[in-house]
Amino acid sequence: MNNPFQILIVDLGSQYTEVIRRSLRYLGFHSVILPPSKSLKWAEVYKPKGIILSGGSASVYEIDAPKIPKELLSFGVPVLGICYGMQWLAYINNKSTVHKVPEGKSYGPVEVSLRKSKLFVNLSSQINAWSSHGDSVKKAPTGFKIIATSKGGKVIEAMENTKEKLYAVQFHPEVEQTEDENIILNNFVKKICACKQDYFKKDAIKTICKEIGENTKNILGDKGVAIIGVSGGVDSTTLAAILTPVLGKQLKAFLVDTGGMRKGEIEKVKSIAKKAKINLEVISKYKNKFIENVGKSINAEEKRKNFREVYGEVFKEVAKFYGATHMIQGTLATDLIESGSTGKSALIKTHHNVDLKLGLKEIMPFADFFKFEVRDIARSFGLGELVSGRQPFPGPGLYLRVVGVPVTTELLEIVREADDEVRKILEKHNLYNKISQTIVALLGTKTVGVKGDGRVYGYSLVVRTVETADFMTVKGFYLPPIVCEEITNTLVKHPKIVRVLYDWTTKPPATTEFE
Ligand code: XMP
């Protein structure tokens, strides 16, 4: 049967499963993600050219650990096991070859020495990789050759059984923290599975836009009315730009002024919407309700839920006003993964716009897409400014950046001004566009300072600058000391700000936002 997907990814519960698919698409290959229970049947019908077993949080010894059908491992096409996938390959060949990492969980960067293998072509013999596992393979099973170890040789980092076409890596070749991260996946699909590139950006953009327009119109029919919240971010704005010419008056686009926006944000969004020919209504009357409701708690998840509550209420009223039948969301694949809506991956954060349960039919045309693809579409609509000139901003906005103390109008104003000052300084030094996201957060723990010979018991601000391709993982963007000094000196001018701290922690473990 005709198969549009050359690679089958078996989802064993990793946060990074979608990242594997994203990386393959970035490299030019279509792939499909399926749970173990459906993978064998699918493979028998569609005959993929290669199989990737994702990582996962379980231990192979757990009773309800995901189990990979045996037949899939002898299916005749190359198999690459990643992390849990590697442990499973070892366990299934010899149950005693997997053990708990003696030092507890291995989590973070690891130096890996590579030996000769088709998997490692074009890589140097030593790479920095990202590890995240509680178990590891202590002995390669019969037929397998060790092809990589951690520096010093303690941990088996990769093994292969070329005769059986089985390959495995303990670290995560798909995440950005692994040096030259795409090379290993590229070697696997191209050199080992002999896949041909079948995902071409230019064609993809045209097809994506056409299909999104047609599908949405089909769902709405002639009588349906859809609402779409436009935040001015690349996802919702691009989606509204695609749909406006197709749906015309059947689409009602609006912007909720939550009170947690960046300085000058509303005006900026309005002008972008005008450029994209989106007819945008701004709704501001709920600002105080947002502040009141979010300010009720300092707990990160409760704040997000309280924000969502008001957000949902606004949508309900808007829907009623327009007689809407559908709601369109610019939710991406990554949003769904991190809000726990995909496969077996864990809930990290409640996202403000996932699963709002408004009683409207939801349409998520971007649910299968990644940031780099939506950015390409935005550029094709002449909305390059969204991509290059503006950094992403979470729906709950500055509410997530007043941390450990109840949100008030005054504290929101401090972070809003500070955020703007930091942006201006980074722009002046030509750094802003090189940074994927800049966060300025106020920490609620008061500390002592001295200003004008007097004691001040004030707040600290944290400046976090990160770089990333997709926000599933991030690394710190280190600012030069001279820029840090300028930022610090500027921010401490506020009478209540005593200290400025910098945060360049990678994700994982630190998420991009503090809450
Ligand atoms: P985290 O903090 O999870 O953030 O590493 C990844 C990216 O998502 C943004 N973010 C959100 N965006 N609603 C959004 O629209 C949300 O609730 C939300 N939470 C985080 C975050 O700013 C970063 O770009």
Side-chain angles (χ1 to χ4, degrees):
M1 202 176 278
N2 191 21
N3 169 22
F5 306 107
Q6 301 184 76
I7 297 286
L8 163 64
I9 303 170
V10 185
D11 180 16
L12 303 169
S14 166
Q15 283 286 324
Y16 301 141
T17 307
E18 284 283 355
V19 182
I20 303 172
R21 189 163 68 99
R22 183 267 292 161
S23 301
L24 292 181
R25 212 136 86 178
Y26 187 77
L27 292 167
F29 302 94
H30 278 297
S31 61
V32 63
I33 298 178
L34 288 175
S37 58
K38 294 196 176 148
S39 46
L40 180 61
K41 197 138 199 89
W42 186 90
E44 282 169 352
V45 176
Y46 292 107
K47 312 238 174 324
K49 287 193 175 154
I51 297 170
I52 297 180
L53 312 173
S54 82
S57 53
S59 160
V60 286
Y61 294 115
E62 285 170 24
I63 286 183
D64 55 358
K67 292 174 183 53
I68 301 146
K70 238 184 23 236
E71 297 85 338
L72 210 54
L73 307 179
S74 50
F75 197 69
V77 300
V79 175
L80 171 66
I82 296 175
C83 196
Y84 177 89
M86 161 152 162
Q87 291 153 20
W88 185 266
L89 282 179
Y91 171 78
I92 209 69
N93 278 289
N94 178 349
K95 295 213 166 17
S96 62
T97 50
V98 176
H99 69 160
K100 288 251 160 286
V101 175
E103 307 79 33
K105 261 195 162 217
S106 166
Y107 199 72
V110 53
E111 278 181 67
V112 178
S113 308
L114 306 178
R115 298 182 193 155
K116 207 165 163 237
S117 161
K118 265 192 180 175
L119 210 50
F120 302 142
V121 174
N122 295 329
L123 282 170
S124 52
S125 58
Q126 195 86 23
I127 61 162
N128 291 312
W130 187 259
S131 82
S132 172
H133 56 107
D135 289 356
S136 70
V137 174
K138 67 174 176 205
K139 188 169 163 273
T142 317
F144 279 82
K145 195 171 98 189
I146 296 172
I147 49 170
T149 57
S150 60
K151 204 177 166 197
K154 256 188 171 172
V155 179
I156 301 175
E157 290 289 349
M159 57 185 199
E160 69 182 15
N161 179 341
T162 46
K163 200 166 147 235
E164 301 292 329
K165 299 185 188 164
L166 300 174
Y167 299 80
V169 285
Q170 181 55 70
F171 57 90
H172 287 270
E174 70 277 24
V175 307
E176 282 180 297
Q177 280 84 353
T178 293
E179 205 176 328
D180 298 325
E181 76 272 15
N182 285 328
I183 294 184
I184 293 176
L185 287 179
N186 201 40
N187 286 340
F188 179 69
V189 291
K190 247 177 146 166
K191 296 193 191 309
I192 297 174
C193 303
C195 292
K196 298 251 172 322
Q197 281 189 317
D198 61 355
Y199 185 84
F200 302 105
K201 270 193 192 167
K202 261 205 178 130
D203 300 345
I205 289 174
K206 267 197 221 142
T207 319
I208 289 170
C209 294
K210 196 163 162 270
E211 280 179 3
I212 287 177
E214 283 172 3
N215 291 345
T216 316
K217 176 75 191 164
N218 280 342
I219 296 172
L220 287 187
D222 289 334
K223 296 219 171 80
V225 175
I227 52 169
I228 180 167
V230 172
S231 65
V234 64
D235 311 331
S236 54
T237 316
T238 306
L239 186 53
I242 297 177
L243 294 176
T244 296
V246 189
L247 300 181
K249 288 202 167 122
Q250 285 182 283
L251 183 72
K252 307 290 177 196
F254 62 98
L255 165 69
V256 185
D257 177 1
T258 63
M261 324 281 275
R262 286 174 286 201
K263 192 170 175 181
E265 185 93 0
I266 305 276
E267 289 315 309
K268 233 182 247 166
V269 180
K270 275 196 202 158
S271 92
I272 290 169
K274 198 168 162 200
K275 202 163 157 194
K277 301 191 172 59
I278 302 166
N279 192 4
L280 187 73
E281 190 189 342
V282 180
I283 300 173
S284 297
K285 66 177 182 183
Y286 294 89
K287 251 200 264 192
N288 291 339
K289 194 152 189 192
F290 273 109
I291 298 181
E292 256 169 47
N293 220 39
V294 181
K296 279 181 192 162
S297 175
I298 59 165
N299 174 285
E301 263 304 286
E302 271 173 36
K303 281 172 75 178
R304 281 177 169 268
K305 285 184 179 140
N306 292 345
F307 180 88
R308 212 167 96 119
E309 207 174 272
V310 185
Y311 194 78
E313 210 177 293
V314 181
F315 268 64
K316 240 183 213 156
E317 285 215 26
V318 172
K320 201 167 150 203
F321 180 78
Y322 287 119
T325 50
H326 291 77
M327 165 159 138
I328 296 176
Q329 300 264 40
T331 312
L332 299 186
T334 32
D335 302 335
L336 291 171
I337 303 163
E338 296 220 329
S339 59
S341 313
T342 302
K344 278 185 144 238
S345 61
L347 169 77
I348 305 295
K349 295 174 181 186
T350 296
H351 270 235
H352 71 292
N353 54 359
V354 175
D355 244 355
L356 278 178
K357 298 195 173 61
L358 295 177
L360 294 176
K361 288 179 195 126
E362 275 188 42
I363 311 175
M364 295 191 197
F366 282 164
D368 197 32
F369 296 100
F370 294 95
K371 206 80 178 181
F372 75 91
E373 292 166 314
V374 177
R375 287 190 169 141
D376 286 339
I377 303 175
R379 286 193 196 98
S380 78
F381 269 83
L383 296 173
E385 181 196 351
L386 280 177
V387 179
S388 58
R390 301 179 79 244
Q391 291 182 3
F393 191 61
L398 300 179
Y399 291 105
L400 303 179
R401 299 179 184 177
V402 175
V403 181
V405 65
V407 175
T408 60
T409 310
E410 186 203 4
L411 297 183
L412 276 179
E413 214 43 56
I414 295 179
V415 273
R416 193 177 347 257
E417 280 300 324
D419 173 82
D420 196 53
E421 292 292 352
V422 172
R423 181 190 50 80
K424 283 194 284 204
I425 295 171
L426 294 176
E427 277 175 353
K428 190 177 88 185
H429 290 276
N430 278 328
L431 289 170
Y432 190 77
N433 286 343
K434 299 186 179 125
I435 298 167
S436 306
Q437 191 159 344
T438 306
I439 288 168
V440 181
L442 180 139
L443 296 187
T445 316
K446 285 198 161 183
T447 70
V448 176
V450 51
K451 288 191 180 193
D453 296 332
R455 178 185 191 269
V456 185
Y457 195 40
Y459 296 107
S460 307
L461 287 171
V462 191
V463 177
R464 173 159 172 73
T465 43
V466 299
E467 51 179 329
T468 176
D470 60 12
F471 289 97
M472 286 300 292
T473 60
V474 308
K475 46 189 173 196
F477 184 99
Y478 289 83
L479 297 173
I482 190 167
V483 177
C484 293
E485 195 178 1
E486 188 174 340
I487 291 176
T488 305
N489 291 342
T490 307
L491 298 190
V492 293
K493 282 189 186 138
H494 190 284
K496 290 202 172 160
I497 298 303
V498 173
R499 261 163 240 281
V500 179
L501 314 168
Y502 293 84
D503 173 13
W504 292 308
T505 318
T506 53
K507 171 186 180 178
T511 55
T512 321
E513 300 285 344
F514 285 78
E515 297 194 314

